[in-house]
Amino acid sequence: KQEVTQIPAALSVPEGENLVLNCSFTDSAIYNLQWFRQDPGKGLTSLLLIQSSQREQTSGRLNASLDKSSGRSTLYIAASQPGDSATYLCAVRQEDSGYALNFGKGTSLLVTP
Amino acid sequence: GAGVSQSPRYKVAKRGQDVALRCDPISGHVSLFWYQQALGQGPEFLTYFQNEAQLDKSGLPSDRFFAERPEGSVSTLKIQRTQQEDSAVYLCASSLLVLRQGMNTEAFFGQGTRLTVV
């Protein structure tokens, strides 16, 4: 069974810092990996989708990388802002059972002014 | 609509009551998913529809949980005889394309329904 782990579980940084969130998965046979943001009491907002054949995706201040063979992905946030405060979730879709997204427990990020 | 819409946003049920949660996916999206998110956890897969066909219900925790999508658009998740452990946020997501075609489809989530069983 696919296990998705996110480190750290929580992170607090001052505004302006660059930061890295980590995601690891045990089964490398994935279709894709998706990073989401979840604000308190809200649903999930898709940030970046990386296909299994890709190494990275970028959107604004966000950059996500994927090393499929080693089962790792990182989300890099440049020049963090208080509005970036949220929980960031990593999810993978398997090749052999492609319906479900398997989620990590998330990293709770707080960016202080 | 512009996004995935879920209703109600909040539901309080007495233990033993039946509840029905509604999901309106993005228009034209073929795939629809239901997830359950307990406090402090990531979402857990419940079930998947491709149009009106329920292709995977392996994540439904018990036979008290039932989902349908009769016309391939709106979906309803029904929970019978609710119990306290059913308290969670129920998330609906939709994707444009059909899965298992080797295509990488992005999932779009609704805001969820927070169910509290007292």
Side-chain angles (χ1 to χ4, degrees):
Chain A
K1 182 179 182 293
Q2 176 72 274
E3 299 286 341
V4 181
T5 303
Q6 291 188 247
I7 295 172
L11 182 63
S12 180
V13 301
E15 181 177 8
E17 274 202 6
N18 303 324
L19 55 100
V20 175
L21 307 182
N22 296 291
C23 172
S24 62
F25 45 95
T26 54
D27 186 347
S28 61
I30 62 170
Y31 266 144
N32 59 35
L33 182 144
Q34 198 166 356
W35 282 93
F36 294 89
R37 167 184 174 140
Q38 186 171 33
D39 293 279
K42 300 289 181 63
L44 278 64
T45 301
S46 178
L47 298 174
L48 289 164
L49 170 70
I50 309 178
Q51 301 178 13
S52 58
S53 59
Q54 296 178 320
R55 298 285 293 184
E56 66 178 344
Q57 283 283 357
T58 298
S59 176
R61 294 183 294 108
L62 304 180
N63 176 276
S65 67
L66 173 64
D67 185 342
K68 182 181 170 183
S69 60
S70 67
R72 294 180 182 178
S73 176
T74 61
L75 179 66
Y76 176 83
I77 303 177
S80 58
Q81 303 171 358
D84 295 332
S85 299
T87 296
Y88 290 81
L89 292 158
C90 163
V92 298
R93 191 184 305 281
Q94 294 304 115
E95 285 182 356
D96 58 354
S97 57
Y99 300 137
L101 280 171
N102 293 291
F103 283 86
K105 292 185 179 181
T107 293
S108 179
L109 173 65
L110 176 64
V111 181
T112 56
Chain B
V4 179
S5 177
Q6 293 187 245
S7 61
R9 288 293 314 281
Y10 305 92
K11 176 69 178 177
V12 178
K14 291 185 178 179
R15 191 171 53 183
Q17 270 188 328
D18 298 348
V19 298
L21 312 179
R22 177 188 169 104
C23 172
D24 281 87
I26 295 172
S27 179
H29 277 199
V30 170
S31 295
L32 184 145
F33 310 80
W34 283 98
Y35 288 83
Q36 179 191 59
Q37 186 176 26
L39 189 64
Q41 303 294 315
E44 294 279 346
F45 171 78
L46 293 177
T47 187
Y48 165 66
F49 288 87
Q50 184 182 112
N51 295 307
E52 70 279 2
Q54 189 176 21
L55 298 187
D56 188 346
K57 54 182 181 180
S58 62
L60 296 177
S62 77
D63 58 7
R64 296 186 296 104
F65 287 71
F66 172 77
E68 60 183 5
R69 193 186 185 197
E71 297 180 358
S73 178
V74 171
S75 177
T76 303
L77 176 66
K78 298 179 179 178
I79 308 174
Q80 297 176 324
R81 305 181 304 280
T82 52
Q83 300 177 5
Q84 284 190 321
E85 61 261 32
D86 299 335
S87 296
V89 175
Y90 290 85
L91 295 164
C92 176
S94 69
S95 294
L96 176 62
L97 299 173
V98 173
L99 297 182
R100 289 187 178 258
Q101 289 182 338
M103 306 183 77
N104 296 292
T105 60
E106 187 171 2
F108 296 90
F109 281 77
Q111 290 194 313
T113 294
R114 181 176 297 278
L115 172 65
T116 303
V117 181
V118 297

